[in-house]
Amino acid sequence: MDHPITVDSDACTRCGICMEICPMGIIAQDGPDDLPRLVPGGEAICSRCGHCEAVCPAGAVSALYPASGPQHLPGGSAAIAPADLAAYLRARRTVRRYREACVDKETVEALLDVVRFAPSGMNGQPVHWLVVHDPAEVRRLAGLAIAWMREASRAGHPMADLFGVLVRTWDAGVDQICRGAPHLVIAHADAKDPMAYTDSIIALAWLEVAAPSFGLGTCWAGFFQIAAMSSPALLEALGLPEGHAPQYAMALGYPAYRFPRVPGREPVRVTWR
């Protein structure tokens, strides 16, 4: 990449904000009347975060790396009252009972389009998504997880007692792996990327927080993830790209019940220094 950004000389006001906000410190301005420019070698360490493009009051900075174009925010910023945000976040619930109705693919894609703006280390954006949309396939994959747990329990796995409960519950017709959700969303990434797990968890946290605004509920599928990391049969069934590993999974669907109240939580614990 030769020039990751360009500056419109006619639109630029030489305010220097792009230089101040660049997290990599690769934008310089020789004098107050000069255009901002990349420092020598700056293109090699540009993280493609887009801060320079997003912050420019005059819209004079353009990022040239492959990506969707910038989006203009209404009123120049995204603002939400603290009380409104607090009410929304406090109302978040883990959903373990779902309606049978499927979520249309367009809604899931719209949700993931929000999630793609989640932060990632060095703006690496390593997260890919596998959406298991067919409820029958979700059930089949959950069954593969149970099959692995059944064998692992017999082999003396450290979680054998818990696996035994999950297996017995499954045999009784209750799915505690994917919670009977119609859909399963799996974040996956290059297995050798040291930031992939953290970035995937951040992205899934965004998904969980954004989902209720679409009328959807989620549940972190930890039992599924444990099996996916250890079961060759389940990993093969996922069909991930070569070299990719499942980072974590989340059940998704329409909640069977609404929660009109917010339960209590422990007081915030803070140490000030």
Side-chain angles (χ1 to χ4, degrees), residues 124-149:
Q125 303 174 58
V127 185
H128 296 240
W129 299 100
L130 169 63
V131 179
V132 185
H133 191 258
D134 181 358
E137 180 65 4
V138 175
R139 177 77 178 178
R140 185 179 80 88
L141 293 174
L144 290 174
I146 284 293
W148 174 80
M149 290 179 182

Side-chain angles (χ1 to χ4, degrees), residues 13-31:
T13 63
R14 279 72 169 172
C15 66
I17 296 177
C18 59
M19 176 179 62
E20 294 179 19
I21 205 164
C22 176
M24 305 305 295
I26 59 175
I27 301 177
Q29 192 175 9
D30 297 324

Side-chain angles (χ1 to χ4, degrees), residues 149 177 219-229 248-250:
M149 290 179 182
I177 304 302
C219 182
W220 293 83
F223 297 139
F224 183 92
Q225 178 63 22
I226 291 171
M229 291 189 299
Y248 219 88
M250 184 170 284

Side-chain angles (χ1 to χ4, degrees), residues 176-195:
Q176 291 189 328
I177 304 302
C178 295
R179 303 293 179 176
H183 315 302
L184 186 65
V185 180
I186 300 166
H188 61 94
D190 187 338
K192 296 181 180 179
D193 186 338
M195 295 300 297

